[in-house]
Amino acid sequence: MTTPREALATYISQSQLSSFFQDSMGIYSVKSYGAEGDGTTDDYTSIYNSITDADDNGGIVFFPTGTYKISTSITFPSNITLWFSDGASISMDSGKTATINSTIQAS
């Protein structure tokens, strides 16, 4: 069952996802943390920082449309939700892994 918070993440554009939503709704956009999503730039640090903040509150890590390159192995904890908008994906460098212990939603 989709929660109201998760449903809201589906309809929010990046420009609308302000600190208000992060503070009151627990939605953490990787782009708000500096991720480029261009498939070339290493977005690891931005994604890691959004995960850390969401992990503190059991929030949603939101991936707007784009390809997010990760050059370091990463673990997504169990108490967050990963939310991918249409056209969003993660591209891992060769030999690196993503361990996903969390719920994944897509829109």
Side-chain angles (χ1 to χ4, degrees):
M1 179 175 208
T2 302
T3 67
R5 183 171 65 179
E6 292 168 339
L8 178 62
T10 303
Y11 299 103
I12 298 172
S13 71
Q14 175 56 36
S15 63
Q16 295 170 318
L17 191 59
S18 66
S19 61
F20 167 78
F21 288 109
Q22 290 180 2
D23 294 340
S24 65
M25 301 296 292
I27 301 170
Y28 301 87
S29 172
V30 296
K31 290 230 174 174
S32 294
Y33 288 81
E36 295 293 327
D38 61 11
T40 304
T41 305
D42 183 8
D43 292 318
Y44 170 81
T45 301
S46 301
I47 294 169
Y48 178 82
N49 289 338
S50 65
I51 290 168
T52 300
D53 284 353
D55 189 32
D56 289 343
N57 303 304
I60 296 170
V61 176
F62 179 63
F63 291 82
T65 300
T67 300
Y68 299 90
K69 180 181 178 198
I70 301 177
S71 64
T72 304
S73 294
I74 193 166
T75 298
F76 297 95
S78 61
N79 69 322
I80 67 168
T81 297
L82 302 177
W83 192 280
F84 292 86
S85 67
D86 190 33
S89 64
I90 292 176
S91 174
M92 300 296 297
D93 275 1
S94 179
K96 304 302 176 188
T97 60
T99 303
I100 302 172
N101 298 315
S102 54
T103 302
I104 299 174
Q105 299 288 331
S107 61

